[in-house]
Amino acid sequence: MKKLSNLLCVGFCIALIISCSVKKDKMINRNFHALTTKFNVLFNGKQAYLKGLKEIEEKHKDNFWKRLQIEPITFDDRKIEGPKFRPTTDEDDEEAETENLSSFDRAEEKAVKAVQKHSMNIDGYEKNKQIDDAYLLLGKARYYTQRFIPAIDAFNYIIANYPKASLIYETKIWRAKTNIRLENEKLAIESLKLLLEVDRNEKTLSDLHRESAHTAMAMAYEKTDTIQKVIEHLALATQTFKNKEQSARNMFVLGQIYSELGRKDSARMVFEKLAGKRKAPAKYRVRANVELAKYADGDSSKTKVLEKLKKLIKNTDNRKFLNALFYQVGVLALETGNTEEAIVYFNKSLRAKHNDDYQKTYAYEKLGNVSFDKQEYLVAGSYYDSVLTTTPKAFENERRIRRIRRKNKGLTALREFEETVKNNDSILKITDMSKEEQVAYFEKHIEKIKQEDEEKKQQMLNAQNFGNAFVGGNSNGFLAKKGKWYFYNDQSVAFGKVEFEKLWGNRPLEDNWRLSDKSLSLDGFEEAEEEVSDEPKVNPRYELSTYIDAIPTDPEVIGSLKEERNEALYQLGLIYKEQFKNPDLAIENLERLRAIKKEQDLELAISYHLYQIYTSINNEEKANEYKDIILTKYADTKFAQVIREPNKKTSEEKPKEEDQVLKTYKAIYYLYKLDKYEEVVEKIDKFTPQVKKSNLIPKLALLKALSIGKYQDREVYQKALEFVSLSYANTEEGEKAKEILDQLKE
């Protein structure tokens, strides 16, 4: 019996050794290598490949504000990689396991190993049925590591050597996709057309392969900007819905394209169909509902869509999409006139747990627009600042962001000037008080501070005691503990930190933290500690001298504060007049400046701007008042001439095109470079009346002023610069003219 078992073992070992050979075309050899390839090497390779696909899915972030990529992957055009594996011998396998390979590198390694160790190419024919699968895995792994030419080699090997393989159609589709990545779109289209033509006649493709082929065709036509063909193949790729993820994506992209082309009915139809597809992943269904909200017409339709979106918000499965849902509800609320509700939802969108920076920029922009429409310019500027700081670098040059940046530039200046007026007014108000009034004012201020601090302190103590009340009766140990010990109460800790900083300042966490000078001896430290404990430091916020000593008394300092405030008022008037087209606030600032400005150096400019504003709002009485000031006091100025002859700039000729204006400007500037200054002034005087509107008018005006300065006296030069600085105050030319004027005065 023992002899028999030994013989069986020896026989099994001999059979195993014989079956390991890849040179013998025996059934036992074919089955051995096929099974080993499929359930060992290829199984591990496919698992690594699936892991790589999952990693790509997790890394790729879709921006639903832009047209989605048909294939959800972003390749780096600059990346060129070589193979990272060395599948040779069994000894190397253990070393390979320790190498830092990506999942796709690991899949490629296993595919190559399957070919090297288990290929049974006998007399030019492959006897291992799993080798074509190995080559397909090899090609796909190379595709995802951006090694497209080696991937093409793998696909071509299958097509040439396994023309009747079950995976031949899948291989041809992958080869076409790889050609698209290599910018061989025409070759890809031709091969896919042939594949689909054969399928149309013989029905050779499965539904899944047909979807993949049409998807690849859409990708190829998208590269060639043939939008109608992209639409055609995306529509065909969404008919059977076998690949749920890709089909839903194709349908969403199709709706986006219709939207871009202005075909709203077609877009609405696609998004409605996608929103109702239960097979589609949630992210596409929810986003389809968001897109549908953009096409709601009429209050009744918008109300119906609002109800649907709010229902989606209540569904806890949609928590990942709350940022987009909240935002769209806010947009609809704004469109139906519910501004306050819209603000609430925009803020909810910003606070959503699952969010992205680009989505936030839209919510911040809407909040900024709401504040801007309410004439709350400072608040609007803060929101626009948030847009600019939140915008990802990839979108910083987007037209929408550039527009917001330009708009915010004026708001930034506005905030600075408003802050200057507010601060300087406060300081000047105190400087105008008598000594007794100042003392009384700050004593009242100190009492208010003390009262507020006491209220905060009491609130902290109440919170701490409130926590203690639950120690005995609350079964929740954490809540009891939180109220019982000081450091479990966040509010008490925060208050304690504030009090510590008031007494000690900002001290680092280190030994001998009481010592500001660490070179002191330990004895000195002890003395300092005793001194501090005996004489507690008084909070400077409670001392009257802190405030009284800070009041400026130097007339020059007070004068500079007034000048700074007056300049800010003037600039505010110009910003409200020119940039924000808000005549009321412009009048408020300029009229105030006129009332408090004792000197006459700005009277002409203020009067001219107020004359223009009152004329624009049809207030003839006030307009005539400032008109008379200019005509009587400043009759020889350019401004008076413009008022006396308002139609002088009008010409019967049609206004020139911008390119013609630019051409003329270049010719005049060339004369300026040749030092022909009088001719420059003459040509500008002749040409300017022919142009009603052009961005180059301020440039022509500055060029004329500079030319005048070259051959006329200082006084005439200054008047010419004053005209440019006042007429075009918010342009680069106006600022340049003002800068030159300031230098001349110095």
Side-chain angles (χ1 to χ4, degrees), residues 459-475:
Q459 287 175 2
M460 299 303 105
L461 292 172
N462 290 343
Q464 189 173 352
N465 292 332
F466 182 75
N468 289 339
F470 286 92
V471 174
N474 197 331
S475 61

Side-chain angles (χ1 to χ4, degrees), residues 257-322:
I257 293 174
Y258 281 137
S259 180
E260 290 171 8
L261 296 175
R263 296 162 64 175
K264 293 185 178 180
D265 291 338
S266 298
R268 186 187 293 112
M269 191 181 303
V270 171
F271 287 127
E272 280 179 354
K273 186 177 178 181
L274 179 56
K277 277 276 186 185
R278 292 187 178 181
K279 291 182 179 180
K283 64 178 179 180
Y284 297 113
R285 284 188 285 106
V286 173
R287 290 285 181 172
N289 279 290
V290 171
E291 292 296 321
L292 279 173
K294 299 176 183 178
Y295 302 107
D297 297 324
D299 290 342
S300 59
S301 176
K302 288 177 181 178
T303 303
K304 186 178 179 181
V305 173
L306 263 174
E307 291 175 359
K308 188 171 184 180
L309 291 178
K310 288 180 179 178
K311 187 177 179 181
L312 289 171
I313 288 171
K314 290 179 182 178
N315 187 343
T316 55
D317 293 336
N318 297 329
R319 281 175 292 188
K320 288 184 179 180
F321 318 112
L322 286 178

Side-chain angles (χ1 to χ4, degrees), residues 518-579:
K518 297 296 184 294
S519 63
L520 291 174
S521 65
L522 193 58
D523 295 336
F525 164 70
E526 291 171 353
E527 290 174 6
E529 183 179 8
E530 290 175 5
E531 185 178 347
V532 169
S533 61
D534 290 341
E535 297 179 14
K537 188 176 178 181
V538 178
N539 191 336
R541 295 169 68 240
Y542 300 158
E543 291 186 352
L544 185 63
S545 60
T546 302
Y547 305 97
I548 298 297
D549 294 344
I551 301 173
T553 55
D554 188 343
E556 289 188 7
V557 175
I558 295 172
S560 66
L561 288 171
K562 289 181 179 179
E563 285 300 320
E564 193 178 39
R565 178 202 57 192
N566 293 345
E567 177 64 21
L569 285 170
Y570 179 67
Q571 294 298 332
L572 284 171
L574 293 184
I575 291 172
Y576 285 126
K577 172 182 176 259
E578 302 291 343
Q579 293 187 32

Side-chain angles (χ1 to χ4, degrees), residues 582-612:
N582 190 323
D584 295 334
L585 290 177
I587 290 170
E588 179 184 326
N589 284 278
L590 291 173
E591 289 279 20
R592 185 192 168 196
L593 176 59
R594 182 171 177 271
I596 63 176
K597 181 73 174 172
K598 304 302 181 185
E599 300 81 2
Q600 300 299 312
D601 57 329
L602 276 178
E603 185 182 31
L604 172 60
I606 294 170
S607 299
Y608 185 72
H609 287 301
L610 286 171
Y611 163 73
Q612 287 184 314

